[in-house]
Amino acid sequence: SAKAATILKFDEVLGLDLCSILRDSVNKDIPHGIIDLAEKRGHAKARKDFAQADELRSAIQKAGYDVADLPDGGYRVFEKQ
């Protein structure tokens, strides 16, 4: 996921607005249970409950997926390769 973070940083610096493109196509083939975990992780981060956010990320990863935070506060879930 370091590659995704690097690309997102380029997007932020260069103003390419890739986040909006990602948002339009993200998560469409991801199981709803994984999306639910990612949503809960986002809420935990907003509450600054980073321990719970880390636990939820681990659960997502154990299921074969990963989550990348987007600069606009959103996220992208993707299948691990």
Side-chain angles (χ1 to χ4, degrees):
S1 178
K3 291 177 186 176
T6 300
I7 290 171
L8 293 173
K9 187 62 176 176
F10 285 152
D11 177 51
E12 180 182 349
V13 171
L14 299 173
L16 301 173
D17 200 25
L18 296 175
C19 289
S20 65
I21 296 167
L22 285 173
R23 223 182 355 263
D24 293 342
S25 64
V26 293
N27 308 333
K28 63 181 177 181
D29 295 326
I30 306 298
H32 291 290
I34 301 300
I35 298 297
D36 288 342
L37 291 174
E39 287 288 327
K40 289 177 183 176
R41 179 181 170 272
H43 293 303
K45 285 182 60 180
R47 293 190 315 270
K48 298 188 188 276
D49 186 351
F50 299 112
Q52 184 182 20
D54 289 344
E55 289 176 19
L56 291 164
R57 178 187 287 274
S58 292
I60 292 167
Q61 289 173 333
K62 285 179 185 173
Y65 295 87
D66 207 345
V67 60
D69 297 317
L70 301 176
D72 67 353
Y75 65 89
R76 177 177 180 253
V77 177
F78 53 94
E79 197 166 0
K80 287 169 71 172
Q81 307 256 339

Coordinates of all heavy atoms in Angstrom, one line a residue:
S1 N 0.8 -1.2 0.0 CA 0.0 0.0 0.0 C 0.9 1.3 0.0 O 0.3 2.4 -0.1 CB -0.9 -0.1 1.2 OG -1.7 1.1 1.3
A2 N 2.2 1.1 0.1 CA 3.1 2.2 0.0 C 3.0 2.9 -1.4 O 3.1 4.1 -1.5 CB 4.5 1.8 0.3
K3 N 2.8 2.1 -2.4 CA 2.6 2.6 -3.8 C 1.4 3.5 -3.8 O 1.4 4.6 -4.4 CB 2.5 1.5 -4.8 CG 3.8 0.8 -5.0 CD 3.6 -0.4 -6.0 CE 4.9 -1.2 -6.1 NZ 4.7 -2.4 -6.9
A4 N 0.3 3.0 -3.3 CA -1.0 3.8 -3.3 C -0.8 5.1 -2.5 O -1.2 6.2 -3.0 CB -2.1 3.0 -2.7
A5 N -0.1 5.1 -1.4 CA 0.2 6.3 -0.6 C 1.0 7.3 -1.4 O 0.8 8.5 -1.4 CB 0.8 5.9 0.7
T6 N 2.0 6.8 -2.1 CA 2.9 7.6 -2.9 C 2.1 8.3 -4.0 O 2.2 9.5 -4.3 CB 4.0 6.8 -3.5 OG1 4.8 6.3 -2.5 CG2 4.9 7.7 -4.4
I7 N 1.2 7.5 -4.7 CA 0.4 8.1 -5.8 C -0.5 9.1 -5.2 O -0.7 10.2 -5.8 CB -0.4 7.0 -6.5 CG1 0.6 6.1 -7.3 CG2 -1.5 7.5 -7.4 CD1 0.0 4.9 -7.9
L8 N -1.1 8.9 -4.1 CA -2.0 9.8 -3.5 C -1.3 11.1 -3.1 O -1.9 12.2 -3.2 CB -2.8 9.2 -2.3 CG -3.8 8.1 -2.7 CD1 -4.3 7.4 -1.4 CD2 -4.9 8.6 -3.6
K9 N -0.1 11.0 -2.6 CA 0.7 12.2 -2.3 C 1.0 13.0 -3.5 O 0.9 14.2 -3.5 CB 2.0 11.8 -1.6 CG 2.8 12.9 -1.0 CD 2.0 13.6 0.0 CE 2.8 14.8 0.6 NZ 2.1 15.6 1.6
F10 N 1.4 12.3 -4.6 CA 1.5 13.0 -5.9 C 0.3 13.8 -6.3 O 0.3 14.9 -6.8 CB 1.9 12.0 -7.0 CG 3.3 11.5 -7.0 CD1 3.6 10.3 -7.5 CD2 4.3 12.3 -6.5 CE1 4.9 9.8 -7.5 CE2 5.7 11.8 -6.5 CZ 5.9 10.5 -7.0
D11 N -0.9 13.1 -6.1 CA -2.1 13.7 -6.4 C -2.3 15.0 -5.6 O -2.7 16.0 -6.2 CB -3.3 12.7 -6.1 CG -4.6 13.3 -6.4 OD1 -4.9 13.9 -7.5 OD2 -5.5 13.2 -5.5
E12 N -2.0 14.9 -4.4 CA -2.2 16.1 -3.5 C -1.3 17.2 -3.9 O -1.7 18.4 -4.0 CB -1.9 15.6 -2.0 CG -2.0 16.7 -1.0 CD -1.7 16.3 0.4 OE1 -1.5 15.1 0.6 OE2 -1.5 17.1 1.2
V13 N 0.0 16.9 -4.2 CA 1.0 17.9 -4.5 C 0.7 18.5 -5.9 O 0.8 19.7 -6.1 CB 2.4 17.3 -4.4 CG1 3.5 18.3 -5.0 CG2 2.8 16.9 -3.0
L14 N 0.4 17.6 -6.9 CA 0.2 18.1 -8.2 C -1.2 18.6 -8.6 O -1.4 19.1 -9.6 CB 0.6 17.0 -9.2 CG 2.1 16.5 -9.1 CD1 2.3 15.3 -10.0 CD2 3.0 17.7 -9.5
G15 N -2.1 18.3 -7.6 CA -3.5 18.8 -7.9 C -4.2 18.1 -9.0 O -5.0 18.7 -9.7
L16 N -3.9 16.8 -9.2 CA -4.5 16.0 -10.3 C -5.9 15.6 -10.1 O -6.6 15.2 -11.0 CB -3.6 14.8 -10.6 CG -2.1 15.0 -10.9 CD1 -1.4 13.7 -11.0 CD2 -2.0 15.8 -12.2
D17 N -6.4 15.7 -8.8 CA -7.7 15.3 -8.5 C -8.0 13.8 -8.7 O -9.1 13.5 -9.2 CB -8.7 16.2 -9.1 CG -10.1 16.2 -8.4 OD1 -10.1 15.9 -7.2 OD2 -11.1 16.5 -9.1
L18 N -7.0 13.0 -8.6 CA -7.2 11.6 -8.8 C -8.2 11.0 -7.7 O -8.9 10.0 -8.0 CB -5.9 10.8 -8.7 CG -4.9 11.1 -9.7 CD1 -3.6 10.4 -9.5 CD2 -5.4 10.8 -11.1
C19 N -8.3 11.6 -6.6 CA -9.2 11.2 -5.5 C -10.7 11.1 -6.0 O -11.4 10.2 -5.7 CB -9.1 12.0 -4.3 SG -7.6 11.8 -3.4
S20 N -11.1 12.1 -6.8 CA -12.5 12.1 -7.3 C -12.7 11.0 -8.3 O -13.7 10.3 -8.3 CB -12.8 13.4 -7.9 OG -12.1 13.7 -9.1
I21 N -11.6 10.7 -9.1 CA -11.7 9.5 -10.0 C -11.8 8.2 -9.2 O -12.6 7.4 -9.5 CB -10.5 9.6 -11.0 CG1 -10.6 10.8 -11.8 CG2 -10.5 8.3 -11.8 CD1 -9.3 11.1 -12.6
L22 N -10.9 8.1 -8.2 CA -11.0 6.9 -7.4 C -12.3 6.7 -6.7 O -12.8 5.7 -6.6 CB -9.9 7.0 -6.3 CG -8.4 6.7 -6.8 CD1 -7.5 7.0 -5.6 CD2 -8.3 5.3 -7.3
R23 N -12.8 7.8 -6.2 CA -14.1 7.8 -5.4 C -15.2 7.3 -6.3 O -16.1 6.5 -5.9 CB -14.4 9.2 -4.9 CG -14.9 9.2 -3.5 CD -15.3 10.5 -3.0 NE -15.0 11.7 -3.8 CZ -14.0 12.5 -3.7 NH1 -13.0 12.2 -2.8 NH2 -13.8 13.5 -4.5
D24 N -15.2 7.6 -7.6 CA -16.2 7.2 -8.5 C -16.1 5.7 -8.8 O -17.1 5.1 -9.2 CB -16.1 8.0 -9.8 CG -16.5 9.4 -9.6 OD1 -17.1 9.8 -8.6 OD2 -16.1 10.2 -10.5
S25 N -14.9 5.1 -8.7 CA -14.8 3.7 -9.1 C -14.4 2.8 -8.0 O -14.3 1.6 -8.2 CB -13.7 3.6 -10.2 OG -12.5 4.0 -9.7
V26 N -14.2 3.3 -6.8 CA -13.7 2.5 -5.7 C -14.8 1.6 -5.1 O -16.0 1.9 -5.2 CB -13.2 3.4 -4.5 CG1 -11.9 4.1 -4.9 CG2 -14.2 4.2 -3.9
N27 N -14.3 0.6 -4.6 CA -15.1 -0.3 -3.7 C -16.3 -1.0 -4.4 O -17.1 -1.6 -3.7 CB -15.6 0.5 -2.5 CG -14.5 1.2 -1.8 OD1 -13.4 0.8 -1.8 ND2 -14.8 2.3 -1.1
K28 N -16.4 -0.9 -5.7 CA -17.6 -1.4 -6.3 C -17.7 -3.0 -6.3 O -18.7 -3.5 -6.3 CB -17.9 -0.9 -7.7 CG -16.8 -1.2 -8.7 CD -17.2 -0.5 -10.0 CE -16.1 -0.8 -11.1 NZ -16.4 -0.1 -12.3
D29 N -16.5 -3.6 -6.3 CA -16.5 -5.1 -6.3 C -16.0 -5.6 -4.9 O -15.7 -6.8 -4.8 CB -15.5 -5.6 -7.4 CG -16.0 -5.2 -8.8 OD1 -17.3 -5.2 -9.0 OD2 -15.2 -5.0 -9.6
I30 N -16.1 -4.8 -3.9 CA -15.6 -5.2 -2.6 C -16.9 -5.7 -1.8 O -17.9 -5.0 -1.8 CB -15.0 -4.0 -1.8 CG1 -13.8 -3.4 -2.7 CG2 -14.5 -4.4 -0.4 CD1 -12.7 -4.3 -2.9
P31 N -16.7 -6.8 -1.1 CA -17.9 -7.3 -0.3 C -18.4 -6.3 0.7 O -17.6 -5.5 1.3 CB -17.3 -8.5 0.4 CG -16.2 -9.0 -0.4 CD -15.6 -7.7 -1.0
H32 N -19.7 -6.3 1.0 CA -20.3 -5.3 1.9 C -19.7 -5.4 3.3 O -19.5 -4.4 4.0 CB -21.8 -5.4 1.9 CG -22.4 -5.0 0.6 ND1 -22.5 -3.7 0.2 CD2 -23.0 -5.8 -0.3 CE1 -23.1 -3.7 -0.9 NE2 -23.4 -4.9 -1.3
G33 N -19.4 -6.6 3.7 CA -18.8 -6.8 5.1 C -17.4 -6.0 5.2 O -17.1 -5.5 6.3
I34 N -16.6 -6.0 4.2 CA -15.4 -5.4 4.2 C -15.6 -3.8 4.2 O -14.9 -3.1 4.9 CB -14.5 -5.8 3.0 CG1 -14.2 -7.3 3.0 CG2 -13.2 -5.0 2.9 CD1 -13.5 -7.8 4.3
I35 N -16.5 -3.4 3.4 CA -16.9 -2.0 3.3 C -17.3 -1.5 4.7 O -17.0 -0.4 5.2 CB -17.9 -1.7 2.3 CG1 -17.4 -2.0 0.9 CG2 -18.4 -0.2 2.3 CD1 -16.2 -1.2 0.4
D36 N -18.2 -2.3 5.4 CA -18.6 -2.0 6.7 C -17.4 -1.8 7.7 O -17.4 -0.9 8.5 CB -19.6 -3.1 7.3 CG -20.9 -3.0 6.6 OD1 -21.3 -2.0 5.9 OD2 -21.7 -4.1 6.7
L37 N -16.5 -2.8 7.6 CA -15.3 -2.6 8.5 C -14.5 -1.3 8.2 O -14.1 -0.7 9.1 CB -14.4 -3.8 8.3 CG -14.8 -5.2 8.8 CD1 -13.9 -6.3 8.3 CD2 -15.0 -5.2 10.3
A38 N -14.4 -1.0 6.9 CA -13.7 0.2 6.5 C -14.4 1.5 7.0 O -13.8 2.4 7.5 CB -13.5 0.3 5.0
E39 N -15.8 1.4 7.0 CA -16.6 2.6 7.5 C -16.4 2.7 9.0 O -16.2 3.8 9.5 CB -18.0 2.4 7.2 CG -18.4 2.6 5.7 CD -18.4 4.0 5.3 OE1 -18.7 4.9 6.1 OE2 -18.0 4.3 4.2
K40 N -16.4 1.6 9.7 CA -16.2 1.6 11.1 C -14.8 2.1 11.5 O -14.6 2.8 12.4 CB -16.4 0.2 11.7 CG -17.8 -0.2 11.7 CD -18.0 -1.6 12.3 CE -19.4 -2.1 12.2 NZ -19.6 -3.5 12.6
R41 N -13.8 1.7 10.6 CA -12.4 2.2 10.8 C -12.4 3.7 10.7 O -11.8 4.4 11.5 CB -11.5 1.5 9.8 CG -10.1 2.0 10.0 CD -9.2 1.3 8.9 NE -7.9 2.0 8.9 CZ -7.6 3.0 8.2 NH1 -8.5 3.5 7.3 NH2 -6.4 3.6 8.2
G42 N -13.1 4.3 9.7 CA -13.1 5.7 9.5 C -13.7 6.4 10.7 O -13.2 7.5 11.1
H43 N -14.8 5.9 11.2 CA -15.4 6.5 12.4 C -14.5 6.4 13.6 O -14.4 7.3 14.4 CB -16.8 5.8 12.7 CG -17.8 6.0 11.7 ND1 -18.2 7.2 11.3 CD2 -18.5 5.1 10.9 CE1 -19.2 7.1 10.3 NE2 -19.3 5.8 10.1
A44 N -13.8 5.3 13.8 CA -12.8 5.1 14.9 C -11.7 6.2 14.7 O -11.3 6.8 15.7 CB -12.3 3.7 14.9
K45 N -11.2 6.4 13.5 CA -10.2 7.4 13.3 C -10.7 8.8 13.6 O -10.0 9.6 14.2 CB -9.7 7.3 11.9 CG -8.7 6.2 11.6 CD -8.2 6.2 10.2 CE -7.5 7.4 10.0 NZ -6.9 7.6 8.6
A46 N -11.9 9.1 13.3 CA -12.5 10.4 13.5 C -12.6 10.6 15.0 O -12.5 11.8 15.5 CB -13.9 10.5 12.9
R47 N -12.9 9.6 15.8 CA -12.9 9.7 17.3 C -11.6 9.6 17.9 O -11.5 9.7 19.1 CB -13.8 8.5 17.8 CG -15.2 8.5 17.5 CD -16.0 7.5 18.3 NE -15.4 6.2 18.4 CZ -15.5 5.2 17.5 NH1 -16.3 5.3 16.5 NH2 -14.9 4.0 17.7
K48 N -10.5 9.5 17.1 CA -9.2 9.3 17.5 C -8.9 8.1 18.3 O -8.1 8.0 19.2 CB -8.7 10.6 18.3 CG -8.7 11.8 17.4 CD -8.1 13.0 18.1 CE -8.3 14.2 17.3 NZ -7.4 14.5 16.2
D49 N -9.8 7.0 18.0 CA -9.6 5.7 18.6 C -8.7 4.9 17.7 O -9.2 4.0 17.0 CB -11.0 5.1 18.9 CG -10.9 3.7 19.6 OD1 -9.8 3.2 19.8 OD2 -11.9 3.2 20.0
F50 N -7.4 5.2 17.7 CA -6.5 4.6 16.8 C -6.3 3.1 17.0 O -6.0 2.4 16.1 CB -5.2 5.4 16.7 CG -5.4 6.8 16.3 CD1 -5.2 7.9 17.2 CD2 -5.9 7.1 15.0 CE1 -5.5 9.2 16.8 CE2 -6.1 8.4 14.6 CZ -5.9 9.4 15.5
A51 N -6.4 2.7 18.3 CA -6.3 1.2 18.6 C -7.4 0.5 17.9 O -7.1 -0.6 17.2 CB -6.3 1.0 20.1
Q52 N -8.6 0.9 17.9 CA -9.7 0.2 17.2 C -9.5 0.3 15.7 O -9.8 -0.6 15.0 CB -11.1 0.8 17.6 CG -12.2 0.0 17.0 CD -13.6 0.6 17.3 OE1 -13.7 1.7 17.7 NE2 -14.6 -0.2 17.1
A53 N -9.1 1.5 15.2 CA -8.9 1.7 13.8 C -7.8 0.7 13.3 O -8.0 0.1 12.3 CB -8.4 3.1 13.5
D54 N -6.8 0.5 14.1 CA -5.7 -0.5 13.7 C -6.3 -2.0 13.7 O -6.0 -2.8 12.9 CB -4.5 -0.4 14.7 CG -3.7 0.8 14.4 OD1 -3.9 1.5 13.4 OD2 -2.9 1.2 15.3
E55 N -7.1 -2.3 14.7 CA -7.8 -3.6 14.8 C -8.6 -3.8 13.6 O -8.6 -4.9 13.0 CB -8.6 -3.7 16.1 CG -7.8 -3.8 17.3 CD -8.6 -3.9 18.6 OE1 -9.8 -4.2 18.5 OE2 -8.1 -3.6 19.7
L56 N -9.4 -2.8 13.2 CA -10.3 -3.0 12.0 C -9.4 -3.1 10.7 O -9.8 -3.9 9.9 CB -11.2 -1.8 11.9 CG -12.3 -1.7 13.0 CD1 -12.9 -0.4 13.1 CD2 -13.3 -2.8 12.8
R57 N -8.3 -2.4 10.6 CA -7.5 -2.5 9.5 C -6.9 -3.9 9.4 O -6.9 -4.6 8.3 CB -6.3 -1.5 9.5 CG -5.3 -1.7 8.3 CD -4.1 -0.8 8.4 NE -4.4 0.6 8.1 CZ -4.4 1.1 6.9 NH1 -4.2 0.4 5.9 NH2 -4.6 2.4 6.8
S58 N -6.5 -4.5 10.6 CA -6.0 -5.9 10.6 C -7.1 -6.9 10.2 O -6.8 -7.8 9.4 CB -5.6 -6.2 12.0 OG -4.4 -5.5 12.4
A59 N -8.3 -6.6 10.6 CA -9.4 -7.5 10.1 C -9.6 -7.4 8.6 O -9.8 -8.5 8.0 CB -10.7 -7.2 10.9
I60 N -9.5 -6.2 8.1 CA -9.6 -6.1 6.6 C -8.5 -6.8 5.9 O -8.7 -7.5 4.9 CB -9.7 -4.6 6.3 CG1 -10.9 -3.9 6.8 CG2 -9.5 -4.3 4.8 CD1 -10.9 -2.4 6.8
Q61 N -7.3 -6.7 6.4 CA -6.1 -7.3 5.8 C -6.2 -8.8 5.9 O -5.9 -9.5 5.0 CB -4.9 -6.8 6.5 CG -4.6 -5.3 6.1 CD -3.4 -4.7 6.8 OE1 -3.1 -5.1 7.9 NE2 -2.8 -3.7 6.2
K62 N -6.7 -9.3 7.0 CA -6.8 -10.8 7.2 C -7.8 -11.4 6.2 O -7.7 -12.5 5.8 CB -7.2 -11.1 8.6 CG -6.1 -11.0 9.6 CD -6.6 -11.3 11.0 CE -5.4 -11.1 12.0 NZ -5.9 -11.2 13.4
A63 N -8.8 -10.5 5.8 CA -9.8 -11.0 4.8 C -9.3 -10.9 3.4 O -10.0 -11.2 2.4 CB -11.0 -10.2 5.0
G64 N -8.0 -10.4 3.2 CA -7.4 -10.3 1.9 C -7.5 -9.0 1.2 O -7.3 -8.9 0.0
Y65 N -7.9 -8.0 2.0 CA -8.1 -6.6 1.4 C -7.2 -5.6 2.2 O -6.6 -6.0 3.2 CB -9.5 -6.2 1.5 CG -10.4 -7.0 0.7 CD1 -11.0 -8.2 1.1 CD2 -10.7 -6.7 -0.6 CE1 -11.8 -9.0 0.4 CE2 -11.5 -7.4 -1.5 CZ -12.0 -8.6 -0.9 OH -12.8 -9.4 -1.7
D66 N -7.1 -4.5 1.7 CA -6.4 -3.4 2.4 C -7.1 -2.1 2.2 O -8.0 -2.0 1.3 CB -4.9 -3.2 1.9 CG -4.0 -2.7 2.9 OD1 -4.5 -2.1 4.0 OD2 -2.8 -2.8 2.8
V67 N -6.8 -1.1 3.0 CA -7.5 0.2 2.9 C -6.5 1.3 2.8 O -5.5 1.2 3.5 CB -8.5 0.3 4.1 CG1 -7.8 0.3 5.4 CG2 -9.3 1.6 3.9
A68 N -6.7 2.2 1.9 CA -5.8 3.4 1.8 C -6.6 4.6 2.1 O -7.7 4.8 1.6 CB -5.2 3.5 0.4
D69 N -6.1 5.5 2.9 CA -6.7 6.7 3.3 C -6.5 7.7 2.2 O -5.3 7.9 1.7 CB -6.2 7.3 4.6 CG -6.5 6.3 5.7 OD1 -7.7 5.8 5.8 OD2 -5.6 6.1 6.6
L70 N -7.5 8.5 1.8 CA -7.4 9.5 0.7 C -7.2 10.8 1.4 O -7.7 11.1 2.5 CB -8.6 9.5 -0.1 CG -8.9 8.2 -0.9 CD1 -10.3 8.3 -1.6 CD2 -7.8 7.8 -1.8
P71 N -6.5 11.7 0.7 CA -6.2 13.1 1.3 C -7.5 13.8 1.7 O -7.5 14.7 2.6 CB -5.5 13.8 0.2 CG -4.9 12.7 -0.6 CD -5.8 11.6 -0.6
D72 N -8.6 13.5 1.0 CA -9.8 14.3 1.3 C -10.6 13.7 2.5 O -11.7 14.1 2.8 CB -10.7 14.3 0.1 CG -11.3 13.0 -0.3 OD1 -10.9 12.0 0.2 OD2 -12.1 12.9 -1.3
G73 N -10.0 12.7 3.2 CA -10.6 12.1 4.3 C -11.4 10.8 4.0 O -11.8 10.1 4.9
G74 N -11.5 10.5 2.7 CA -12.2 9.3 2.3 C -11.2 8.1 2.4 O -10.1 8.2 3.0
Y75 N -11.6 7.0 1.8 CA -10.7 5.8 1.8 C -11.0 5.0 0.5 O -12.0 5.2 -0.2 CB -11.0 5.0 3.0 CG -12.4 4.4 3.0 CD1 -12.6 3.1 2.4 CD2 -13.4 5.0 3.6 CE1 -13.9 2.6 2.4 CE2 -14.7 4.5 3.6 CZ -14.9 3.3 3.0 OH -16.2 2.8 3.0
R76 N -10.0 4.1 0.2 CA -10.2 3.2 -0.9 C -9.9 1.8 -0.4 O -8.8 1.6 0.3 CB -9.2 3.6 -2.0 CG -9.3 2.6 -3.2 CD -8.4 3.0 -4.3 NE -8.6 2.0 -5.4 CZ -7.6 1.1 -5.7 NH1 -6.5 1.1 -5.0 NH2 -7.8 0.2 -6.6
V77 N -10.7 0.9 -0.6 CA -10.5 -0.5 -0.2 C -10.1 -1.2 -1.5 O -10.7 -1.0 -2.6 CB -11.8 -1.2 0.4 CG1 -11.5 -2.6 0.7 CG2 -12.2 -0.4 1.6
F78 N -9.1 -2.1 -1.4 CA -8.7 -2.8 -2.6 C -8.2 -4.2 -2.2 O -7.8 -4.4 -1.0 CB -7.6 -2.1 -3.4 CG -6.4 -1.7 -2.5 CD1 -5.3 -2.5 -2.4 CD2 -6.4 -0.5 -1.8 CE1 -4.2 -2.2 -1.6 CE2 -5.3 -0.2 -1.0 CZ -4.2 -1.0 -0.9
E79 N -8.3 -5.1 -3.1 CA -7.9 -6.5 -2.9 C -6.4 -6.6 -2.8 O -5.7 -6.0 -3.7 CB -8.4 -7.4 -3.9 CG -8.4 -8.9 -3.6 CD -9.2 -9.7 -4.5 OE1 -9.9 -9.2 -5.4 OE2 -9.3 -10.9 -4.3
K80 N -5.8 -7.2 -1.8 CA -4.4 -7.4 -1.7 C -3.9 -8.3 -2.9 O -4.5 -9.2 -3.2 CB -4.0 -7.9 -0.4 CG -4.1 -7.0 0.8 CD -4.0 -7.6 2.1 CE -2.6 -8.0 2.4 NZ -2.4 -8.4 3.8
Q81 N -2.7 -7.9 -3.4 CA -2.1 -8.7 -4.5 C -1.1 -9.7 -4.0 O -0.4 -9.5 -3.1 CB -1.4 -7.7 -5.5 CG -2.4 -6.6 -5.9 CD -2.9 -6.8 -7.3 OE1 -2.4 -7.6 -8.1 NE2 -4.1 -6.2 -7.5

